Structure formats: C-alpha cells, structure tokens
Amino acid sequence: MTVFDQVLQEVDERCREQHIPMLGSEKAEFLAGLVRKVEPSLIIECGTAIGYSGLWMIGALKSVGKGRLITVEIDTGRAHEARENFRRANVQDLIDSRIGDAAEVLKTIRKPVDFLLLDNNYGNYFPCFQAIESQLTDGATVVADNVGIGAAGMADYLNHVRSHHESRTHWFETDLPWVKRDAMEVTIYRTSH
Ligand SMILES: C[S@@+](CC[C@H](N)C(=O)[O-])C[C@H]1O[C@@H](n2cnc3c(N)ncnc32)[C@H](O)[C@@H]1O
C-alpha cells in the first residue's frame, strides 16, 4: 500500500470512529471519476472536514497530471487536521487549505474555476455558488453533495441550477454509519443561460 493510500484509509477510519462527516467511498469514487474525466485546472471545495474528499480529488488530479485544489473549512481544528493529512500524504503542494466561511472566502478567489464541490452547510450552497459564479468557466462542473438528505435546506440552490443549467441527480447506496442512501447533483454550468 502506498503512503497516500495508507493516509486515505486512516482518514476514512477516523471519520467513521468520530462521526466526522465525509463522502464515503461510493460517492468519492464517482467524484474522482468526474475529476479524471473533466481534468480541471482548478477545483474549489466548500467543506474540507479533515480532508477525505480532498484526498480523493487530489488522487484523481495526480493521475491526470494537472490541476490544483483550493479547499475551505470553517472549523479551525478540522482544517488543521486536514492540513496534517495532506502533508502526511505528501500532496500539500497541490492544495491551498483556507479557513473561514466559504461564501466569504470564495468572493476573494479571482481565478477561472472549472470544478466546484459544494459540501458545507446546506444553506450556504447558493451563497457559495453566487460568490464564485463570475469565475466559473463555460462548461464548468459543479457537484453538490447531500442532495438526497438535505434537499429542503438547499432548495434555493437546486431550483436555480435545475432551471438555468444542465443538472442531474445521481443516487448512491452508502455504507456510512450515519446515512445509507443519498444523492449528488452534477451541474454543467453554462455562462449563457
Ligand atoms: C459534510 S462535511 C465535509 C466533508 C468533506 N467534504 C469530505 O467528504 O471529507 C461539511 C464541512 O463543512 C464545514 N462547514 C460548515 N459550514 C461551513 C461554511 N460556512 N464554510 C466552510 N465550511 C463550512 C463543516 O465544519 C464540515 O467540516
């Protein structure tokens, strides 16, 4: 097993033991497949937790040989733990880990974004989307997690992307201790809509 795989396994185990939210392998494999297909130059993630999804996306970026990740977490302790996990996995050079409210941090990013993952508090999905919208490239991929269990809390976001862009819901059976079935919304962002 590589050091990277070892760290990923340890992060998975720690999330399960401590009930720290994470995607779980079913959704993470799907997400990594999307990253490999899109080959983005810049991924923005809202909701780092301790770095599980970030590690999966960085693994995909490394396999295609390009791209970087900016990930934002409001909980300082989790962000520091994520940074330590990225360092142990030896991928810290590809990741810019920021601490703060994602909707505020995203307003300060002024670079083209071709991949966005929304996985923070549900009510912040639409504010985050709006904060980065001017930087989204035509055809950018926007993935929203917890669309099955959290639809009511993110209704403004879902109504918007479903009526203005090409948007599809993907369902997953998961083996997480806290949820067994959930969905992700994958949206292809169009600048003319
Ligand atoms: C579902 S977890 C993220 C899981 C992570 N993406 C993974 O799969 O490993 C949601 C995270 O969003 C963070 N969060 C909540 N509100 C936030 C906000 N306004 N800005 C940034 N992060 C936030 C929480 O502290 C929590 O760690």
Side-chain angles (χ1 to χ4, degrees):
M1 191 184 270
T2 63
V3 172
F4 181 90
D5 289 341
Q6 179 69 37
V7 173
L8 187 55
Q9 186 177 315
E10 285 168 15
V11 171
D12 182 302
E13 286 166 5
R14 178 157 161 74
C15 287
R16 285 172 194 277
E17 280 163 20
Q18 301 295 319
H19 277 220
I20 298 168
M22 63 158 169
L23 288 182
S25 62
E26 302 81 5
K27 288 192 279 183
E29 275 172 22
F30 174 78
L31 179 67
L34 276 179
V35 171
R36 284 193 297 272
K37 185 171 141 206
V38 171
E39 299 188 12
S41 297
L42 179 59
I43 301 176
I44 307 285
E45 176 183 46
C46 301
T48 315
I50 63 166
Y52 179 81
S53 50
L55 287 168
W56 273 92
M57 291 191 286
I58 283 294
L61 289 179
K62 280 172 76 84
S63 75
V64 297
K66 65 174 278 209
R68 298 181 56 79
L69 169 68
I70 299 175
T71 183
V72 188
E73 172 58 49
I74 203 164
D75 181 309
T76 306
R78 282 186 181 170
H80 283 294
E81 197 173 333
R83 287 176 186 177
E84 178 60 12
N85 289 328
F86 298 144
R87 190 197 60 74
R88 287 194 306 124
N90 202 25
V91 294
Q92 71 277 16
D93 291 351
L94 297 174
I95 301 176
D96 177 355
S97 155
R98 303 204 188 170
I99 300 174
D101 181 346
E104 294 306 316
V105 174
L106 264 51
K107 286 180 194 160
T108 68
I109 295 171
R110 290 294 166 253
K111 294 173 184 158
V113 174
D114 42 12
F115 202 103
L116 172 66
L117 173 62
L118 299 168
D119 193 17
N120 51 325
N121 53 327
Y122 306 154
N124 219 19
Y125 281 24
F126 199 37
C128 285
F129 176 83
Q130 290 174 309
I132 202 70
E133 182 167 8
S134 63
Q135 304 305 313
L136 290 177
T137 58
D138 192 28
T141 299
V142 183
V143 181
D145 189 31
N146 302 125
V147 167
I149 59 172
M154 58 181 84
D156 50 356
Y157 171 77
L158 291 175
N159 290 338
H160 180 82
V161 293
R162 286 171 179 167
S163 55
H164 290 85
H165 303 281
E166 190 189 315
S167 199
R168 209 174 138 208
T169 311
H170 299 258
W171 285 92
F172 300 86
E173 309 298 323
T174 61
D175 82 335
L176 294 169
W178 51 84
V179 60
K180 298 297 171 200
R181 189 162 192 266
D182 198 3
M184 296 176 113
E185 189 81 8
V186 179
T187 300
I188 305 303
Y189 178 81
R190 291 294 169 204
T191 48
S192 55
H193 53 84

